Amino acid sequence: MIQEQWPSEWLRGVLGVCVLRVLLDGPSYGYAIIQRLADAGLGEVKGGTLYPLLGRLEDAGHVEVEWRPGDGGPGRKYFALTPSGRDHALQQASDWAAFATVTRALTDAALEKKG
């Protein structure tokens, strides 16, 4: 399965933890976050999906926003983890890893029956 074909419900489930992971590396702006997600193999994430997620993270106190002037162009809205957001990102990564282990064990068993 190529990355552009991931089912949308899978992406919705993992997008939050992946965005938090990107922000663990430092403040970033929307297009750069989208690019990092694509480079990681998640395919194209639309701004209409990303920005509401970032808004929810901001409302929860996990992300803070800062406008920075652009280099010869318009300014950019940068998103950075707050201290509680950093803790939340690490907890989400841990929880997701545990969930992935459980689901992987279940799906691997199906692949073993295939042969």
Side-chain angles (χ1 to χ4, degrees):
M1 177 175 279
I2 61 170
Q3 60 188 342
E4 287 81 14
Q5 295 177 340
W6 297 125
S8 60
E9 62 270 15
W10 292 5
L11 291 173
R12 278 192 302 275
V14 74
L15 190 59
V17 71
C18 290
V19 168
L20 289 167
R21 170 57 192 93
V22 169
L23 293 176
L24 277 170
D25 290 339
S28 192
Y29 56 96
Y31 179 78
I33 295 169
I34 288 170
Q35 197 59 48
R36 283 277 310 273
L37 296 171
D39 291 347
L42 290 179
E44 181 184 351
V45 174
K46 305 275 188 212
T49 301
L50 177 66
Y51 289 107
L53 170 62
L54 290 167
R56 289 190 299 275
L57 290 170
E58 182 182 10
D59 290 345
H62 299 310
V63 168
E64 56 192 9
V65 178
E66 175 189 0
W67 278 97
R68 296 185 187 175
D71 297 329
R76 289 191 172 136
K77 194 175 190 179
Y78 275 76
F79 301 89
L81 292 176
T82 62
S84 71
R86 185 172 190 75
D87 293 343
H88 181 67
L90 296 171
Q91 184 62 54
Q92 289 285 294
S94 175
D95 292 348
W96 187 266
F99 179 73
T101 298
V102 169
T103 58
R104 180 71 192 257
L106 187 63
T107 58
D108 283 357
L111 295 175
E112 291 167 7
K113 291 183 182 278
K114 186 172 132 181

